[in-house]
Amino acid sequence: MAGYADAAVVPHVVRWVESSGGPLIAIPEAVLPFWAGADGDETSSDYDRACDVDGHVGLLPVGDTRALVLGDEPASTTYLPEHGTFVRWCAADTETELLAGVPAALDTAAWEPELHWRVPGSVVLLDAVWPGRSLRETDHVRVELAPGLYGISAAQVWTGPETWLGLVRVRPLAGT
């Protein structure tokens, strides 16, 4: 599976972020230094707080904003800007097969109730276990978002007998 370093060499490669077993997090770049991951002497680390999020998505306070936690499955995840959606690789034989099913999946998804997420700008998708200061050493995907309010909805979709993906739609809300 292609990682961040591969995409730096080949720009059209879809960049996937792997989980070490826990949730992934999309955190505003402005507060990356405040994310301690699993580090720290506290009884409940930032990573523990991310693990406590129930369901497919949740919002978690970090600094003066919130981060988006992609919970439930520790699935490899990418962001497809042309669809405004995080795509989670739950089951598929190939990347091509998985990505080919995204347009139909978006059309047929049964979306969960929408969350509202205000972001100060671009976010970074990374494994929640890593501190924000270790970004250079970890797989990550930078997601260009304009500052504003977004509607966040999640869905699980089967696009074939053995192809299953998770979707997290990031939709700008009007008037923000």
Side-chain angles (χ1 to χ4, degrees), residues 26-28 65-67 117-123 145-150 170:
I27 185 168
T65 189
R66 297 187 295 173
W117 184 32
R118 183 166 299 282
V119 297
S122 296
V123 300
L145 294 178
L149 186 63
Y150 290 82
V170 180

Side-chain angles (χ1 to χ4, degrees), residues 27-48:
I27 185 168
E29 281 183 316
V31 295
L32 266 172
F34 299 108
W35 183 259
D39 290 353
D41 296 328
E42 301 174 22
T43 53
S44 180
S45 69
D46 286 340
Y47 176 72
D48 292 330

Side-chain angles (χ1 to χ4, degrees), residues 35-115:
W35 183 259
D39 290 353
D41 296 328
E42 301 174 22
T43 53
S44 180
S45 69
D46 286 340
Y47 176 72
D48 292 330
R49 293 186 313 127
C51 289
D52 287 342
V53 169
D54 275 337
H56 297 111
V57 293
L59 297 170
L60 193 62
V62 180
D64 61 355
T65 189
R66 297 187 295 173
L68 176 66
V69 177
L70 305 179
D72 191 44
E73 289 281 326
S76 298
T77 302
T78 193
Y79 183 77
L80 300 179
E82 65 273 23
H83 298 294
T85 303
F86 290 100
V87 176
R88 312 207 65 206
W89 187 328
C90 299
D93 289 332
T94 67
E95 177 184 270
T96 302
E97 176 185 13
L98 181 85
L99 294 176
V102 170
L106 288 166
D107 289 341
T108 61
W111 297 101
E112 294 178 359
E114 188 171 77
L115 302 175

